[in-house]
Amino acid sequence: MRPKIYDAVKSLNETTAFSITDNKLDGWDIAEVKTGATRPTDNEITTELTRLQTEYDAQDYARKRKAEYDKLNQFEMQFDDKKNSTTTWVDKINEIKARYPK
C-alpha cells in the first residue's frame, strides 16, 4: 500500500497520538508538553512522505516477484525436480526474476 500522510507522521514520531483530516495533520497530542515530541512541520511531513514513497517504489520488483512466487507450489516443484532430475523450479524462479529485475 502506497504511503500516506499518516505513515509519514508516524515515521517521524511513533509515540505521539495525532489525527489527520482532509489529508492534513490537524491534531497533535499534548505529549509534546510532556515528552518534548514536537509537531512536525508540513515541510518535514512532505519530505518524509517523499522518502517513504521512494522506498516504496524501490521495492516494486519485490512485491511483483512475491505475488508470482506465492502462486507456485514451490515445495512440490522442488521435490519433483529432485525426483525427476529436472530444473522446473529453478527455471520458473529465474523466469520471474528476469520479468521483474531489481
Side-chain angles (χ1 to χ4, degrees):
M1 178 177 256
R2 293 190 171 280
K4 307 279 189 223
I5 297 292
Y6 173 88
D7 303 310
V9 175
K10 195 68 171 170
S11 177
L12 291 168
N13 189 320
E14 295 181 5
T15 59
T16 302
F18 59 91
S19 61
I20 306 279
T21 303
D22 295 330
N23 217 24
K24 293 239 181 231
L25 176 63
D26 70 348
W28 190 254
D29 191 4
I30 61 165
E32 183 172 339
V33 174
K34 295 179 182 176
T35 67
T38 58
R39 179 184 174 131
T41 65
D42 289 343
N43 189 44
E44 289 171 327
I45 293 170
T46 300
T47 299
E48 183 63 8
L49 186 57
T50 300
R51 186 191 72 77
L52 291 173
Q53 184 65 53
T54 300
E55 189 176 280
Y56 177 86
D57 291 345
Q59 291 300 309
D60 186 54
Y61 80 94
R63 287 187 300 278
K64 289 177 179 176
R65 282 184 183 182
K66 183 179 181 326
E68 294 291 323
Y69 294 155
D70 289 349
K71 294 176 187 176
L72 301 176
N73 189 344
Q74 293 190 51
F75 290 127
E76 186 171 340
M77 291 174 81
Q78 291 168 356
F79 177 84
D80 291 344
D81 281 347
K82 184 165 180 76
K83 182 179 173 189
N84 301 325
S85 298
T86 57
T87 60
T88 307
W89 174 73
V90 171
D91 296 342
K92 188 62 176 176
I93 295 298
N94 284 334
E95 175 190 322
I96 292 168
K97 285 184 175 191
R99 199 172 331 129
Y100 305 111
K102 285 185 180 181

